[in-house]
Amino acid sequence: MDFIAGAIGGGLSTAVGYPLDTVKVRIQTERHYNGIWHCIQETYRTEKVWGFYKGVSASVLTVSVISSVSFGTYKNFLCTICKLRYGAADAKPSKVDVSLAGGAAGAVRVVLMTPSEVAKVRMQTQRNPHPSVASPQPVSKPKYRGSLHCLKVIAKEEGFGGLYKGCSALLCRDCSSSAIYFLTYSALCDWLTPAGKNKPGFLVVLLSGGFAGVLAWGLATPMDVIKSRMQTDESDQHKYKGLVHCARESVRKEGAKVLFKGLGLNCIRAFPVNMVVFVTYEAVLRFTDRY
């Protein structure tokens, strides 16, 4: 049931946070925006509401699968650790156990997630003016007609490796942030749940999930910036040779602050999104336990 609960939570959370994710990606990869509000205004002016939802259909489906694998891997890995260390799968894990299980969940996510992340970032940064926006020049057809078409074009032009651009940055981002994510959630639930209660209340789940998301994304933002930049680097550009080169070039041209582009937006988005993830996850598990 952990896999099903994770899938439902992931799908709902994506629908909630996707517009802000689009704004975040554009701020991280393009230099002409003065800030969050300027990016929102420009996106709406040129592409209307649909501009914020580019690639959302594939992202909801993919994140549902990835969230399912992530929560399922975390729970199963944690049970295995507890069985090996304490002789029982349902034994109370230590903070180190939770962190290791969280890191393992992050590593597994990356294998499945990278192609969809590449497609999402390419779709989000593709300029596709809305028909109602007056333009002195005829509007050219977009390179990518949808998420699946985007993956097909990338595979054709850049080969299989193109689908895994930014994989190294994503691995660094997700292993560390996933460990912090599950550790923070577990620790806050333990701390906020009154003694004698078996499970945390829904308010505790909401707060713990929200704060876990904020802390995890705060840690993940520098690698998130590098990942997004590597993934927008198309076959005809070749701006970056790898993770270290991308980080070095970005810092050289824009200063160290470039690594924290979108930090505020990540944290703002992370709170409601991860509240939805965990409260849905817990609600599905408790519903199935009851019936």
Side-chain angles (χ1 to χ4, degrees), residues 68-80 93 97-105 178 182-183 185-186 281:
S68 168
V69 170
S70 181
F71 276 89
T73 301
Y74 167 75
K75 194 69 176 180
N76 282 286
F77 202 88
L78 191 59
C79 287
T80 303
D97 300 332
V98 172
S99 299
L100 286 173
S178 188
F182 284 107
L183 175 62
Y185 176 74
S186 174
Y281 173 76

mmCIF file with all atom_site columns, all heavy atoms in Angstrom, residues 68-80 93 97-105 178 182-183 185-186 281:
data_model
loop_
_atom_site.group_PDB
_atom_site.id
_atom_site.type_symbol
_atom_site.label_atom_id
_atom_site.label_alt_id
_atom_site.label_comp_id
_atom_site.label_asym_id
_atom_site.label_entity_id
_atom_site.label_seq_id
_atom_site.pdbx_PDB_ins_code
_atom_site.Cartn_x
_atom_site.Cartn_y
_atom_site.Cartn_z
_atom_site.occupancy
_atom_site.B_iso_or_equiv
_atom_site.pdbx_formal_charge
_atom_site.auth_seq_id
_atom_site.auth_comp_id
_atom_site.auth_asym_id
_atom_site.auth_atom_id
_atom_site.pdbx_PDB_model_num
ATOM 1   N N   . SER A 1 68  ? 5.453  6.958  -5.927 1.00 0.00 ? 68  SER A N   1
ATOM 2   C CA  . SER A 1 68  ? 5.118  5.598  -5.510 1.00 0.00 ? 68  SER A CA  1
ATOM 3   C C   . SER A 1 68  ? 6.382  4.790  -5.220 1.00 0.00 ? 68  SER A C   1
ATOM 4   O O   . SER A 1 68  ? 6.516  4.156  -4.168 1.00 0.00 ? 68  SER A O   1
ATOM 5   C CB  . SER A 1 68  ? 4.307  4.909  -6.623 1.00 0.00 ? 68  SER A CB  1
ATOM 6   O OG  . SER A 1 68  ? 4.195  3.529  -6.385 1.00 0.00 ? 68  SER A OG  1
ATOM 7   N N   . VAL A 1 69  ? 7.335  4.846  -6.153 1.00 0.00 ? 69  VAL A N   1
ATOM 8   C CA  . VAL A 1 69  ? 8.604  4.118  -5.995 1.00 0.00 ? 69  VAL A CA  1
ATOM 9   C C   . VAL A 1 69  ? 9.392  4.665  -4.809 1.00 0.00 ? 69  VAL A C   1
ATOM 10  O O   . VAL A 1 69  ? 9.980  3.911  -4.033 1.00 0.00 ? 69  VAL A O   1
ATOM 11  C CB  . VAL A 1 69  ? 9.437  4.206  -7.297 1.00 0.00 ? 69  VAL A CB  1
ATOM 12  C CG1 . VAL A 1 69  ? 10.846 3.665  -7.075 1.00 0.00 ? 69  VAL A CG1 1
ATOM 13  C CG2 . VAL A 1 69  ? 8.755  3.434  -8.414 1.00 0.00 ? 69  VAL A CG2 1
ATOM 14  N N   . SER A 1 70  ? 9.370  5.991  -4.663 1.00 0.00 ? 70  SER A N   1
ATOM 15  C CA  . SER A 1 70  ? 10.125 6.638  -3.593 1.00 0.00 ? 70  SER A CA  1
ATOM 16  C C   . SER A 1 70  ? 9.624  6.211  -2.208 1.00 0.00 ? 70  SER A C   1
ATOM 17  O O   . SER A 1 70  ? 10.402 5.763  -1.356 1.00 0.00 ? 70  SER A O   1
ATOM 18  C CB  . SER A 1 70  ? 10.017 8.160  -3.737 1.00 0.00 ? 70  SER A CB  1
ATOM 19  O OG  . SER A 1 70  ? 10.750 8.811  -2.729 1.00 0.00 ? 70  SER A OG  1
ATOM 20  N N   . PHE A 1 71  ? 8.322  6.313  -1.976 1.00 0.00 ? 71  PHE A N   1
ATOM 21  C CA  . PHE A 1 71  ? 7.762  5.944  -0.677 1.00 0.00 ? 71  PHE A CA  1
ATOM 22  C C   . PHE A 1 71  ? 7.857  4.438  -0.452 1.00 0.00 ? 71  PHE A C   1
ATOM 23  O O   . PHE A 1 71  ? 8.143  3.984  0.664  1.00 0.00 ? 71  PHE A O   1
ATOM 24  C CB  . PHE A 1 71  ? 6.308  6.410  -0.569 1.00 0.00 ? 71  PHE A CB  1
ATOM 25  C CG  . PHE A 1 71  ? 6.166  7.836  -0.137 1.00 0.00 ? 71  PHE A CG  1
ATOM 26  C CD1 . PHE A 1 71  ? 6.148  8.868  -1.056 1.00 0.00 ? 71  PHE A CD1 1
ATOM 27  C CD2 . PHE A 1 71  ? 6.080  8.156  1.211  1.00 0.00 ? 71  PHE A CD2 1
ATOM 28  C CE1 . PHE A 1 71  ? 6.031  10.195 -0.659 1.00 0.00 ? 71  PHE A CE1 1
ATOM 29  C CE2 . PHE A 1 71  ? 5.961  9.478  1.628  1.00 0.00 ? 71  PHE A CE2 1
ATOM 30  C CZ  . PHE A 1 71  ? 5.933  10.503 0.687  1.00 0.00 ? 71  PHE A CZ  1
ATOM 31  N N   . GLY A 1 72  ? 7.616  3.665  -1.520 1.00 0.00 ? 72  GLY A N   1
ATOM 32  C CA  . GLY A 1 72  ? 7.716  2.213  -1.403 1.00 0.00 ? 72  GLY A CA  1
ATOM 33  C C   . GLY A 1 72  ? 9.131  1.757  -1.098 1.00 0.00 ? 72  GLY A C   1
ATOM 34  O O   . GLY A 1 72  ? 9.353  0.890  -0.239 1.00 0.00 ? 72  GLY A O   1
ATOM 35  N N   . THR A 1 73  ? 10.104 2.352  -1.785 1.00 0.00 ? 73  THR A N   1
ATOM 36  C CA  . THR A 1 73  ? 11.516 2.023  -1.553 1.00 0.00 ? 73  THR A CA  1
ATOM 37  C C   . THR A 1 73  ? 11.925 2.407  -0.131 1.00 0.00 ? 73  THR A C   1
ATOM 38  O O   . THR A 1 73  ? 12.584 1.635  0.575  1.00 0.00 ? 73  THR A O   1
ATOM 39  C CB  . THR A 1 73  ? 12.423 2.753  -2.559 1.00 0.00 ? 73  THR A CB  1
ATOM 40  O OG1 . THR A 1 73  ? 12.059 2.379  -3.883 1.00 0.00 ? 73  THR A OG1 1
ATOM 41  C CG2 . THR A 1 73  ? 13.891 2.427  -2.324 1.00 0.00 ? 73  THR A CG2 1
ATOM 42  N N   . TYR A 1 74  ? 11.529 3.618  0.271  1.00 0.00 ? 74  TYR A N   1
ATOM 43  C CA  . TYR A 1 74  ? 11.867 4.097  1.613  1.00 0.00 ? 74  TYR A CA  1
ATOM 44  C C   . TYR A 1 74  ? 11.363 3.135  2.688  1.00 0.00 ? 74  TYR A C   1
ATOM 45  O O   . TYR A 1 74  ? 12.116 2.706  3.569  1.00 0.00 ? 74  TYR A O   1
ATOM 46  C CB  . TYR A 1 74  ? 11.272 5.491  1.831  1.00 0.00 ? 74  TYR A CB  1
ATOM 47  C CG  . TYR A 1 74  ? 11.284 5.939  3.273  1.00 0.00 ? 74  TYR A CG  1
ATOM 48  C CD1 . TYR A 1 74  ? 12.470 6.345  3.885  1.00 0.00 ? 74  TYR A CD1 1
ATOM 49  C CD2 . TYR A 1 74  ? 10.113 5.938  4.031  1.00 0.00 ? 74  TYR A CD2 1
ATOM 50  C CE1 . TYR A 1 74  ? 12.488 6.733  5.221  1.00 0.00 ? 74  TYR A CE1 1
ATOM 51  C CE2 . TYR A 1 74  ? 10.128 6.333  5.364  1.00 0.00 ? 74  TYR A CE2 1
ATOM 52  C CZ  . TYR A 1 74  ? 11.317 6.726  5.948  1.00 0.00 ? 74  TYR A CZ  1
ATOM 53  O OH  . TYR A 1 74  ? 11.331 7.113  7.264  1.00 0.00 ? 74  TYR A OH  1
ATOM 54  N N   . LYS A 1 75  ? 10.068 2.775  2.587  1.00 0.00 ? 75  LYS A N   1
ATOM 55  C CA  . LYS A 1 75  ? 9.462  1.920  3.612  1.00 0.00 ? 75  LYS A CA  1
ATOM 56  C C   . LYS A 1 75  ? 10.095 0.529  3.620  1.00 0.00 ? 75  LYS A C   1
ATOM 57  O O   . LYS A 1 75  ? 10.421 -0.016 4.686  1.00 0.00 ? 75  LYS A O   1
ATOM 58  C CB  . LYS A 1 75  ? 7.957  1.805  3.342  1.00 0.00 ? 75  LYS A CB  1
ATOM 59  C CG  . LYS A 1 75  ? 7.167  1.227  4.494  1.00 0.00 ? 75  LYS A CG  1
ATOM 60  C CD  . LYS A 1 75  ? 7.122  2.195  5.667  1.00 0.00 ? 75  LYS A CD  1
ATOM 61  C CE  . LYS A 1 75  ? 6.241  1.654  6.784  1.00 0.00 ? 75  LYS A CE  1
ATOM 62  N NZ  . LYS A 1 75  ? 6.179  2.572  7.923  1.00 0.00 ? 75  LYS A NZ  1
ATOM 63  N N   . ASN A 1 76  ? 10.293 -0.049 2.434  1.00 0.00 ? 76  ASN A N   1
ATOM 64  C CA  . ASN A 1 76  ? 10.856 -1.398 2.351  1.00 0.00 ? 76  ASN A CA  1
ATOM 65  C C   . ASN A 1 76  ? 12.324 -1.432 2.779  1.00 0.00 ? 76  ASN A C   1
ATOM 66  O O   . ASN A 1 76  ? 12.768 -2.368 3.438  1.00 0.00 ? 76  ASN A O   1
ATOM 67  C CB  . ASN A 1 76  ? 10.703 -1.951 0.930  1.00 0.00 ? 76  ASN A CB  1
ATOM 68  C CG  . ASN A 1 76  ? 9.290  -2.429 0.663  1.00 0.00 ? 76  ASN A CG  1
ATOM 69  O OD1 . ASN A 1 76  ? 8.863  -3.462 1.143  1.00 0.00 ? 76  ASN A OD1 1
ATOM 70  N ND2 . ASN A 1 76  ? 8.544  -1.642 -0.092 1.00 0.00 ? 76  ASN A ND2 1
ATOM 71  N N   . PHE A 1 77  ? 13.073 -0.405 2.391  1.00 0.00 ? 77  PHE A N   1
ATOM 72  C CA  . PHE A 1 77  ? 14.483 -0.310 2.769  1.00 0.00 ? 77  PHE A CA  1
ATOM 73  C C   . PHE A 1 77  ? 14.609 -0.151 4.284  1.00 0.00 ? 77  PHE A C   1
ATOM 74  O O   . PHE A 1 77  ? 15.462 -0.773 4.925  1.00 0.00 ? 77  PHE A O   1
ATOM 75  C CB  . PHE A 1 77  ? 15.131 0.871  2.040  1.00 0.00 ? 77  PHE A CB  1
ATOM 76  C CG  . PHE A 1 77  ? 16.619 0.770  1.914  1.00 0.00 ? 77  PHE A CG  1
ATOM 77  C CD1 . PHE A 1 77  ? 17.200 0.116  0.837  1.00 0.00 ? 77  PHE A CD1 1
ATOM 78  C CD2 . PHE A 1 77  ? 17.458 1.321  2.868  1.00 0.00 ? 77  PHE A CD2 1
ATOM 79  C CE1 . PHE A 1 77  ? 18.582 0.017  0.723  1.00 0.00 ? 77  PHE A CE1 1
ATOM 80  C CE2 . PHE A 1 77  ? 18.841 1.227  2.768  1.00 0.00 ? 77  PHE A CE2 1
ATOM 81  C CZ  . PHE A 1 77  ? 19.397 0.572  1.689  1.00 0.00 ? 77  PHE A CZ  1
ATOM 82  N N   . LEU A 1 78  ? 13.712 0.671  4.852  1.00 0.00 ? 78  LEU A N   1
ATOM 83  C CA  . LEU A 1 78  ? 13.742 0.907  6.303  1.00 0.00 ? 78  LEU A CA  1
ATOM 84  C C   . LEU A 1 78  ? 13.403 -0.383 7.059  1.00 0.00 ? 78  LEU A C   1
ATOM 85  O O   . LEU A 1 78  ? 14.048 -0.708 8.068  1.00 0.00 ? 78  LEU A O   1
ATOM 86  C CB  . LEU A 1 78  ? 12.740 2.006  6.664  1.00 0.00 ? 78  LEU A CB  1
ATOM 87  C CG  . LEU A 1 78  ? 12.813 2.570  8.089  1.00 0.00 ? 78  LEU A CG  1
ATOM 88  C CD1 . LEU A 1 78  ? 14.190 3.174  8.366  1.00 0.00 ? 78  LEU A CD1 1
ATOM 89  C CD2 . LEU A 1 78  ? 11.737 3.622  8.294  1.00 0.00 ? 78  LEU A CD2 1
ATOM 90  N N   . CYS A 1 79  ? 12.409 -1.123 6.562  1.00 0.00 ? 79  CYS A N   1
ATOM 91  C CA  . CYS A 1 79  ? 12.045 -2.399 7.196  1.00 0.00 ? 79  CYS A CA  1
ATOM 92  C C   . CYS A 1 79  ? 13.197 -3.404 7.132  1.00 0.00 ? 79  CYS A C   1
ATOM 93  O O   . CYS A 1 79  ? 13.462 -4.133 8.090  1.00 0.00 ? 79  CYS A O   1
ATOM 94  C CB  . CYS A 1 79  ? 10.810 -2.991 6.513  1.00 0.00 ? 79  CYS A CB  1
ATOM 95  S SG  . CYS A 1 79  ? 9.281  -2.120 6.911  1.00 0.00 ? 79  CYS A SG  1
ATOM 96  N N   . THR A 1 80  ? 13.890 -3.410 5.998  1.00 0.00 ? 80  THR A N   1
ATOM 97  C CA  . THR A 1 80  ? 15.036 -4.319 5.828  1.00 0.00 ? 80  THR A CA  1
ATOM 98  C C   . THR A 1 80  ? 16.162 -3.970 6.798  1.00 0.00 ? 80  THR A C   1
ATOM 99  O O   . THR A 1 80  ? 16.756 -4.855 7.425  1.00 0.00 ? 80  THR A O   1
ATOM 100 C CB  . THR A 1 80  ? 15.559 -4.258 4.372  1.00 0.00 ? 80  THR A CB  1
ATOM 101 O OG1 . THR A 1 80  ? 14.492 -4.583 3.484  1.00 0.00 ? 80  THR A OG1 1
ATOM 102 C CG2 . THR A 1 80  ? 16.716 -5.229 4.163  1.00 0.00 ? 80  THR A CG2 1
ATOM 103 N N   . PRO A 1 93  ? 13.147 2.593  14.186 1.00 0.00 ? 93  PRO A N   1
ATOM 104 C CA  . PRO A 1 93  ? 14.433 2.884  13.552 1.00 0.00 ? 93  PRO A CA  1
ATOM 105 C C   . PRO A 1 93  ? 15.141 4.077  14.201 1.00 0.00 ? 93  PRO A C   1
ATOM 106 O O   . PRO A 1 93  ? 14.492 4.935  14.800 1.00 0.00 ? 93  PRO A O   1
ATOM 107 C CB  . PRO A 1 93  ? 14.044 3.218  12.112 1.00 0.00 ? 93  PRO A CB  1
ATOM 108 C CG  . PRO A 1 93  ? 12.657 3.767  12.218 1.00 0.00 ? 93  PRO A CG  1
ATOM 109 C CD  . PRO A 1 93  ? 12.006 3.036  13.354 1.00 0.00 ? 93  PRO A CD  1
ATOM 110 N N   . ASP A 1 97  ? 19.137 5.232  10.463 1.00 0.00 ? 97  ASP A N   1
ATOM 111 C CA  . ASP A 1 97  ? 18.375 4.286  9.635  1.00 0.00 ? 97  ASP A CA  1
ATOM 112 C C   . ASP A 1 97  ? 17.437 5.030  8.688  1.00 0.00 ? 97  ASP A C   1
ATOM 113 O O   . ASP A 1 97  ? 17.347 4.715  7.493  1.00 0.00 ? 97  ASP A O   1
ATOM 114 C CB  . ASP A 1 97  ? 17.544 3.346  10.522 1.00 0.00 ? 97  ASP A CB  1
ATOM 115 C CG  . ASP A 1 97  ? 18.392 2.519  11.468 1.00 0.00 ? 97  ASP A CG  1
ATOM 116 O OD1 . ASP A 1 97  ? 19.565 2.256  11.129 1.00 0.00 ? 97  ASP A OD1 1
ATOM 117 O OD2 . ASP A 1 97  ? 17.894 2.135  12.541 1.00 0.00 ? 97  ASP A OD2 1
ATOM 118 N N   . VAL A 1 98  ? 16.734 6.024  9.228  1.00 0.00 ? 98  VAL A N   1
ATOM 119 C CA  . VAL A 1 98  ? 15.775 6.807  8.436  1.00 0.00 ? 98  VAL A CA  1
ATOM 120 C C   . VAL A 1 98  ? 16.500 7.560  7.325  1.00 0.00 ? 98  VAL A C   1
ATOM 121 O O   . VAL A 1 98  ? 16.048 7.604  6.176  1.00 0.00 ? 98  VAL A O   1
ATOM 122 C CB  . VAL A 1 98  ? 14.992 7.799  9.340  1.00 0.00 ? 98  VAL A CB  1
ATOM 123 C CG1 . VAL A 1 98  ? 14.143 8.747  8.507  1.00 0.00 ? 98  VAL A CG1 1
ATOM 124 C CG2 . VAL A 1 98  ? 14.117 7.037  10.329 1.00 0.00 ? 98  VAL A CG2 1
ATOM 125 N N   . SER A 1 99  ? 17.669 8.134  7.661  1.00 0.00 ? 99  SER A N   1
ATOM 126 C CA  . SER A 1 99  ? 18.449 8.880  6.662  1.00 0.00 ? 99  SER A CA  1
ATOM 127 C C   . SER A 1 99  ? 18.942 7.975  5.541  1.00 0.00 ? 99  SER A C   1
ATOM 128 O O   . SER A 1 99  ? 18.888 8.343  4.361  1.00 0.00 ? 99  SER A O   1
ATOM 129 C CB  . SER A 1 99  ? 19.648 9.564  7.328  1.00 0.00 ? 99  SER A CB  1
ATOM 130 O OG  . SER A 1 99  ? 19.226 10.471 8.311  1.00 0.00 ? 99  SER A OG  1
ATOM 131 N N   . LEU A 1 100 ? 19.427 6.786  5.892  1.00 0.00 ? 100 LEU A N   1
ATOM 132 C CA  . LEU A 1 100 ? 19.911 5.834  4.878  1.00 0.00 ? 100 LEU A CA  1
ATOM 133 C C   . LEU A 1 100 ? 18.782 5.391  3.958  1.00 0.00 ? 100 LEU A C   1
ATOM 134 O O   . LEU A 1 100 ? 18.951 5.319  2.739  1.00 0.00 ? 100 LEU A O   1
ATOM 135 C CB  . LEU A 1 100 ? 20.525 4.609  5.568  1.00 0.00 ? 100 LEU A CB  1
ATOM 136 C CG  . LEU A 1 100 ? 21.902 4.802  6.214  1.00 0.00 ? 100 LEU A CG  1
ATOM 137 C CD1 . LEU A 1 100 ? 22.287 3.558  7.007  1.00 0.00 ? 100 LEU A CD1 1
ATOM 138 C CD2 . LEU A 1 100 ? 22.963 5.099  5.157  1.00 0.00 ? 100 LEU A CD2 1
ATOM 139 N N   . ALA A 1 101 ? 17.617 5.098  4.538  1.00 0.00 ? 101 ALA A N   1
ATOM 140 C CA  . ALA A 1 101 ? 16.459 4.691  3.736  1.00 0.00 ? 101 ALA A CA  1
ATOM 141 C C   . ALA A 1 101 ? 16.008 5.834  2.825  1.00 0.00 ? 101 ALA A C   1
ATOM 142 O O   . ALA A 1 101 ? 15.660 5.611  1.657  1.00 0.00 ? 101 ALA A O   1
ATOM 143 C CB  . ALA A 1 101 ? 15.314 4.257  4.647  1.00 0.00 ? 101 ALA A CB  1
ATOM 144 N N   . GLY A 1 102 ? 16.050 7.063  3.344  1.00 0.00 ? 102 GLY A N   1
ATOM 145 C CA  . GLY A 1 102 ? 15.687 8.232  2.539  1.00 0.00 ? 102 GLY A CA  1
ATOM 146 C C   . GLY A 1 102 ? 16.653 8.448  1.388  1.00 0.00 ? 102 GLY A C   1
ATOM 147 O O   . GLY A 1 102 ? 16.241 8.733  0.258  1.00 0.00 ? 102 GLY A O   1
ATOM 148 N N   . GLY A 1 103 ? 17.952 8.295  1.656  1.00 0.00 ? 103 GLY A N   1
ATOM 149 C CA  . GLY A 1 103 ? 18.964 8.435  0.603  1.00 0.00 ? 103 GLY A CA  1
ATOM 150 C C   . GLY A 1 103 ? 18.800 7.387  -0.483 1.00 0.00 ? 103 GLY A C   1
ATOM 151 O O   . GLY A 1 103 ? 18.950 7.671  -1.678 1.00 0.00 ? 103 GLY A O   1
ATOM 152 N N   . ALA A 1 104 ? 18.483 6.147  -0.075 1.00 0.00 ? 104 ALA A N   1
ATOM 153 C CA  . ALA A 1 104 ? 18.259 5.060  -1.040 1.00 0.00 ? 104 ALA A CA  1
ATOM 154 C C   . ALA A 1 104 ? 17.048 5.364  -1.920 1.00 0.00 ? 104 ALA A C   1
ATOM 155 O O   . ALA A 1 104 ? 17.068 5.133  -3.135 1.00 0.00 ? 104 ALA A O   1
ATOM 156 C CB  . ALA A 1 104 ? 18.047 3.739  -0.299 1.00 0.00 ? 104 ALA A CB  1
ATOM 157 N N   . ALA A 1 105 ? 15.981 5.907  -1.307 1.00 0.00 ? 105 ALA A N   1
ATOM 158 C CA  . ALA A 1 105 ? 14.780 6.272  -2.063 1.00 0.00 ? 105 ALA A CA  1
ATOM 159 C C   . ALA A 1 105 ? 15.113 7.348  -3.102 1.00 0.00 ? 105 ALA A C   1
ATOM 160 O O   . ALA A 1 105 ? 14.637 7.292  -4.235 1.00 0.00 ? 105 ALA A O   1
ATOM 161 C CB  . ALA A 1 105 ? 13.697 6.774  -1.112 1.00 0.00 ? 105 ALA A CB  1
ATOM 162 N N   . SER A 1 178 ? 16.517 13.837 -0.090 1.00 0.00 ? 178 SER A N   1
ATOM 163 C CA  . SER A 1 178 ? 15.567 12.797 0.306  1.00 0.00 ? 178 SER A CA  1
ATOM 164 C C   . SER A 1 178 ? 15.887 12.275 1.707  1.00 0.00 ? 178 SER A C   1
ATOM 165 O O   . SER A 1 178 ? 14.975 11.983 2.501  1.00 0.00 ? 178 SER A O   1
ATOM 166 C CB  . SER A 1 178 ? 15.599 11.643 -0.704 1.00 0.00 ? 178 SER A CB  1
ATOM 167 O OG  . SER A 1 178 ? 14.570 10.723 -0.459 1.00 0.00 ? 178 SER A OG  1
ATOM 168 N N   . PHE A 1 182 ? 12.917 12.736 4.665  1.00 0.00 ? 182 PHE A N   1
ATOM 169 C CA  . PHE A 1 182 ? 12.299 11.707 5.489  1.00 0.00 ? 182 PHE A CA  1
ATOM 170 C C   . PHE A 1 182 ? 12.733 11.811 6.951  1.00 0.00 ? 182 PHE A C   1
ATOM 171 O O   . PHE A 1 182 ? 11.937 11.532 7.859  1.00 0.00 ? 182 PHE A O   1
ATOM 172 C CB  . PHE A 1 182 ? 12.614 10.319 4.928  1.00 0.00 ? 182 PHE A CB  1
ATOM 173 C CG  . PHE A 1 182 ? 11.818 9.970  3.702  1.00 0.00 ? 182 PHE A CG  1
ATOM 174 C CD1 . PHE A 1 182 ? 12.415 9.955  2.452  1.00 0.00 ? 182 PHE A CD1 1
ATOM 175 C CD2 . PHE A 1 182 ? 10.465 9.687  3.790  1.00 0.00 ? 182 PHE A CD2 1
ATOM 176 C CE1 . PHE A 1 182 ? 11.678 9.645  1.307  1.00 0.00 ? 182 PHE A CE1 1
ATOM 177 C CE2 . PHE A 1 182 ? 9.719  9.369  2.655  1.00 0.00 ? 182 PHE A CE2 1
ATOM 178 C CZ  . PHE A 1 182 ? 10.321 9.347  1.409  1.00 0.00 ? 182 PHE A CZ  1
ATOM 179 N N   . LEU A 1 183 ? 13.986 12.215 7.184  1.00 0.00 ? 183 LEU A N   1
ATOM 180 C CA  . LEU A 1 183 ? 14.476 12.364 8.554  1.00 0.00 ? 183 LEU A CA  1
ATOM 181 C C   . LEU A 1 183 ? 13.719 13.486 9.272  1.00 0.00 ? 183 LEU A C   1
ATOM 182 O O   . LEU A 1 183 ? 13.289 13.323 10.419 1.00 0.00 ? 183 LEU A O   1
ATOM 183 C CB  . LEU A 1 183 ? 15.976 12.673 8.543  1.00 0.00 ? 183 LEU A CB  1
ATOM 184 C CG  . LEU A 1 183 ? 16.608 12.966 9.913  1.00 0.00 ? 183 LEU A CG  1
ATOM 185 C CD1 . LEU A 1 183 ? 16.478 11.757 10.834 1.00 0.00 ? 183 LEU A CD1 1
ATOM 186 C CD2 . LEU A 1 183 ? 18.082 13.344 9.750  1.00 0.00 ? 183 LEU A CD2 1
ATOM 187 N N   . TYR A 1 185 ? 10.744 14.759 8.515  1.00 0.00 ? 185 TYR A N   1
ATOM 188 C CA  . TYR A 1 185 ? 9.341  14.374 8.701  1.00 0.00 ? 185 TYR A CA  1
ATOM 189 C C   . TYR A 1 185 ? 9.191  13.427 9.896  1.00 0.00 ? 185 TYR A C   1
ATOM 190 O O   . TYR A 1 185 ? 8.334  13.622 10.762 1.00 0.00 ? 185 TYR A O   1
ATOM 191 C CB  . TYR A 1 185 ? 8.801  13.707 7.439  1.00 0.00 ? 185 TYR A CB  1
ATOM 192 C CG  . TYR A 1 185 ? 7.395  13.190 7.597  1.00 0.00 ? 185 TYR A CG  1
ATOM 193 C CD1 . TYR A 1 185 ? 6.314  14.078 7.632  1.00 0.00 ? 185 TYR A CD1 1
ATOM 194 C CD2 . TYR A 1 185 ? 7.131  11.822 7.743  1.00 0.00 ? 185 TYR A CD2 1
ATOM 195 C CE1 . TYR A 1 185 ? 5.011  13.617 7.808  1.00 0.00 ? 185 TYR A CE1 1
ATOM 196 C CE2 . TYR A 1 185 ? 5.837  11.356 7.923  1.00 0.00 ? 185 TYR A CE2 1
ATOM 197 C CZ  . TYR A 1 185 ? 4.782  12.254 7.948  1.00 0.00 ? 185 TYR A CZ  1
ATOM 198 O OH  . TYR A 1 185 ? 3.500  11.796 8.133  1.00 0.00 ? 185 TYR A OH  1
ATOM 199 N N   . SER A 1 186 ? 10.046 12.422 9.944  1.00 0.00 ? 186 SER A N   1
ATOM 200 C CA  . SER A 1 186 ? 9.996  11.432 11.028 1.00 0.00 ? 186 SER A CA  1
ATOM 201 C C   . SER A 1 186 ? 10.257 12.086 12.382 1.00 0.00 ? 186 SER A C   1
ATOM 202 O O   . SER A 1 186 ? 9.543  11.828 13.360 1.00 0.00 ? 186 SER A O   1
ATOM 203 C CB  . SER A 1 186 ? 11.029 10.336 10.753 1.00 0.00 ? 186 SER A CB  1
ATOM 204 O OG  . SER A 1 186 ? 11.117 9.440  11.818 1.00 0.00 ? 186 SER A OG  1
ATOM 205 N N   . TYR A 1 281 ? -0.774 10.584 1.641  1.00 0.00 ? 281 TYR A N   1
ATOM 206 C CA  . TYR A 1 281 ? -0.097 9.305  1.898  1.00 0.00 ? 281 TYR A CA  1
ATOM 207 C C   . TYR A 1 281 ? -0.636 8.656  3.177  1.00 0.00 ? 281 TYR A C   1
ATOM 208 O O   . TYR A 1 281 ? -1.034 7.488  3.190  1.00 0.00 ? 281 TYR A O   1
ATOM 209 C CB  . TYR A 1 281 ? 1.405  9.557  1.998  1.00 0.00 ? 281 TYR A CB  1
ATOM 210 C CG  . TYR A 1 281 ? 2.240  8.371  2.414  1.00 0.00 ? 281 TYR A CG  1
ATOM 211 C CD1 . TYR A 1 281 ? 2.516  7.340  1.518  1.00 0.00 ? 281 TYR A CD1 1
ATOM 212 C CD2 . TYR A 1 281 ? 2.773  8.288  3.702  1.00 0.00 ? 281 TYR A CD2 1
ATOM 213 C CE1 . TYR A 1 281 ? 3.294  6.243  1.899  1.00 0.00 ? 281 TYR A CE1 1
ATOM 214 C CE2 . TYR A 1 281 ? 3.547  7.206  4.087  1.00 0.00 ? 281 TYR A CE2 1
ATOM 215 C CZ  . TYR A 1 281 ? 3.809  6.181  3.188  1.00 0.00 ? 281 TYR A CZ  1
ATOM 216 O OH  . TYR A 1 281 ? 4.568  5.116  3.565  1.00 0.00 ? 281 TYR A OH  1
#
